[in-house]
Amino acid sequence: MQKVFVAQHHAEAYFVDGLLRANGIESEVRGEALFTTIGGSSVIPGASPEVWVLNPAQVSQAAELIRRYSKGEALPESAGPAWQCPNCGEHHESQFATCWQCETAKPGPTSMGS
Ligand SMILES: [Zn+2]
């Protein structure tokens, strides 16, 4: 496990997580539990959500994707159509593999695996 990205907020963390997953990289968002364990406050300094890559061999690939994302460069999976979550109705760009809001998987065939 290696941390590859620290997000400003949940949506950004799940965007990066979805981006990595869409490119076959196993990743997960960490740190979000801190937002729910402390009642009464939704903003906790130093508790930004983090994106971790599970497979050390994929860290460099993940870092490259994140570098492109942070510089606004074209992403490999950005050519597909946007999609709408069948569960909550949230709209997503094609690079999301799962709904960032309810974590429902993107409908139809995915590019995961291979
Ligand atoms: Zn959803």
Side-chain angles (χ1 to χ4, degrees), residues 72 74 93:
E93 297 302 317

Side-chain angles (χ1 to χ4, degrees), residues 67-89:
R67 188 188 66 80
R68 290 193 208 178
Y69 158 69
S70 60
K71 295 182 74 172
E73 295 179 14
L75 296 165
E77 294 290 323
S78 63
W83 59 282
Q84 185 174 7
C85 177
N87 185 48
C88 72

Side-chain angles (χ1 to χ4, degrees), residues 85 87-90 99 101-102 104:
C85 177
N87 185 48
C88 72
E90 187 69 30
C99 176
Q101 186 145 276
C102 69
T104 296

Side-chain angles (χ1 to χ4, degrees), residues 15-102:
F15 177 91
V16 171
D17 181 57
L19 171 66
L20 299 183
R21 288 168 183 265
N23 285 275
I25 298 171
E26 289 185 84
S27 61
E28 69 177 39
V29 176
R30 294 182 138 201
E32 58 186 328
L34 293 171
F35 286 83
T36 54
T37 52
I38 300 176
S41 176
S42 59
V43 179
I44 302 167
S48 299
E50 301 166 345
V51 179
W52 289 65
V53 168
L54 309 189
N55 185 348
Q58 296 180 314
V59 168
S60 60
Q61 185 187 357
E64 171 65 15
L65 287 166
I66 292 167
R67 188 188 66 80
R68 290 193 208 178
Y69 158 69
S70 60
K71 295 182 74 172
E73 295 179 14
L75 296 165
E77 294 290 323
S78 63
W83 59 282
Q84 185 174 7
C85 177
N87 185 48
C88 72
E90 187 69 30
H91 288 272
H92 303 283
E93 297 302 317
S94 61
Q95 59 265 42
F96 285 91
T98 57
C99 176
W100 64 263
Q101 186 145 276
C102 69

